[in-house]
């Protein structure tokens, strides 16, 4: 039986949102960066013309979004501005009801492939010998690890993070990692991959590295498509519609 939820007065919700927006504006206007400290609670109340209660509620909201970080005994600081809240909401969306996990995973694969295949030219253009060597080591680590093991999962995450690193685009890198994290959480609901699928994935990683070494954009894009082919087949089998 559901417990009663106490309704929140609309005016209170609007006030909290207004104070939340003012704090974000304050951070931008003062060119604060992750790790920079915010003024004290009293100073913020004066600067934003806000009450202590509305300020504290706004800080809680921003803390949940990783926009600010509250360090007890030290104060409030600009947060890491990570995409952790996005990962949580996407994961929850994917697991909310039967069938949603498959549709969510299809969407995630589409986005991940779009990033890597669509930016193949830029990736190849920006990869230097050091980055190619790092990809080579990550691919070798993938091949050494048992399929589905924690070390292999860590190596796969590292491989795809390294692909985007040379672009120098922090948002693309964060989104890539965020989508990988959600993919890793939702994918097991399709069941375990077969040895053949694991071998295909390993071969695709190796093909990406070799194409990068040869500066072959078309071969790199083809290897990306090859990489996502096994999971696409499992998605199609789980949800033919």
């Amino acid at each position: 039986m559901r417990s009663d939820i106490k309704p929140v007065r609309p005016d209170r919700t609007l006030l909290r949102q207004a104070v939340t927006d003012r704090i974000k504006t304050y951070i931008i206007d003062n060119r604060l960066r992750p790790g920079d400290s915010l003024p004290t609670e009293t100073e913020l109340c004066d600067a934003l013309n806000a009450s202590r209660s509305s300020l504290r509620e706004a800080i809680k909201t921003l803390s949940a979004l990783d926009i600010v970080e509250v360090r007890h005994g030290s104060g409030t600081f600009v947060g890491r501005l990570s995409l952790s809240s996005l990962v949580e909401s996407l994961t929850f969306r994917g697991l909310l009801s039967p069938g949603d996990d498959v549709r969510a995973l299809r969407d995630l694969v589409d986005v991940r492939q779009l990033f890597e295949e669509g930016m193949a030219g830029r990736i190849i253009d920006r990869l230097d010998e050091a980055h190619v060597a790092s990809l080579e080591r990550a691919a070798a680590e993938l091949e050494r690890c048992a399929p589905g093991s924690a070390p292999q999962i860590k190596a796969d995450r590292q491989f795809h993070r390294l692909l985007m690193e040379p672009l120098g685009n922090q948002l693309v890198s964060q989104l890539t990692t965020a989508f990988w994290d959600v993919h890793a959480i939702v994918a097991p609901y399709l069941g375990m991959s077969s040895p053949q699928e694991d071998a295909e994935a390993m071969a695709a990683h190796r093909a990406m590295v070799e194409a990068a070494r040869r500066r072959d954009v078309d071969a790199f894009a083809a290897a990306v498509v090859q990489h996502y082919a096994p999971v696409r087949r499992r998605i199609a089998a789980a949800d033919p519609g």
Side-chain angles (χ1 to χ4, degrees):
M1 182 176 180
R2 285 185 185 171
S3 59
D4 292 334
I5 298 176
K6 186 177 179 180
V8 177
R9 293 180 320 198
D11 57 338
R12 181 177 175 182
T13 301
L14 291 173
L15 178 59
R16 181 180 62 221
Q17 185 59 51
V19 177
T20 299
D21 290 341
R22 286 180 214 160
I23 295 173
K24 289 189 287 187
T25 300
Y26 180 93
I27 292 172
I28 294 170
D29 288 348
N30 287 276
R31 300 181 180 276
L32 299 182
R33 295 289 181 264
D36 288 348
S37 62
L38 289 170
T40 65
E41 184 178 85
T42 300
E43 291 169 337
L44 271 179
C45 285
D46 291 340
L48 305 177
N49 192 26
S51 66
R52 288 182 182 272
S53 60
S54 60
L55 179 67
R56 288 172 181 172
E57 289 185 11
I59 290 294
K60 286 181 182 179
T61 298
L62 293 172
S63 179
L65 296 172
D66 208 16
I67 293 175
V68 302
E69 177 187 358
V70 179
R71 302 176 192 170
H72 296 291
S74 299
T76 303
F77 299 78
V78 178
R80 296 171 300 161
L81 308 177
S82 72
L83 299 176
S84 56
S85 59
L86 173 66
V87 172
E88 291 181 12
S89 62
L90 285 174
T91 302
F92 184 71
R93 171 180 175 266
L95 304 177
L96 190 58
S97 61
D100 278 358
D101 51 347
V102 177
R103 287 188 289 274
L105 186 55
R106 180 187 291 116
D107 292 345
L108 285 165
V109 170
D110 284 344
V111 173
R112 290 188 63 197
Q113 184 172 328
L114 177 65
F115 272 26
E116 295 176 0
E117 184 183 1
M119 289 191 280
R122 291 192 202 179
I123 291 171
I124 295 298
D125 184 58
R126 301 285 182 87
L127 281 173
D128 57 23
E129 286 303 316
H131 277 109
V132 173
S134 295
L135 285 170
E136 173 72 37
R137 287 192 293 272
E141 181 65 19
L142 274 166
E143 293 166 349
R144 282 194 295 269
C145 298
S149 65
Q152 188 195 53
I153 291 171
K154 181 180 179 181
D156 186 65
R157 188 178 192 271
Q158 173 73 349
F159 182 92
H160 290 278
R161 186 190 67 78
L162 286 169
L163 280 181
M164 296 300 173
E165 189 177 73
L167 297 177
N169 187 315
Q170 188 176 18
L171 180 58
V172 168
S173 294
Q174 287 188 0
L175 284 171
T176 297
T177 302
F179 288 134
W180 188 98
D181 289 341
V182 180
H183 185 158
I185 294 169
V186 178
Y189 286 80
L190 290 179
M192 296 297 293
S193 58
S194 68
Q196 179 183 347
E197 289 172 335
D198 292 331
E200 285 184 57
M202 293 301 102
H205 284 97
R206 178 61 60 182
M208 279 188 262
V209 175
E210 294 304 321
R213 192 177 296 282
R214 298 194 310 270
R215 305 288 175 182
D216 188 332
V217 176
D218 291 338
F220 181 88
V224 171
V225 174
Q226 176 190 351
H227 174 265
Y228 290 106
V231 71
R232 285 192 179 281
R233 289 197 297 268
R234 280 195 288 150
I235 290 171
D239 182 20

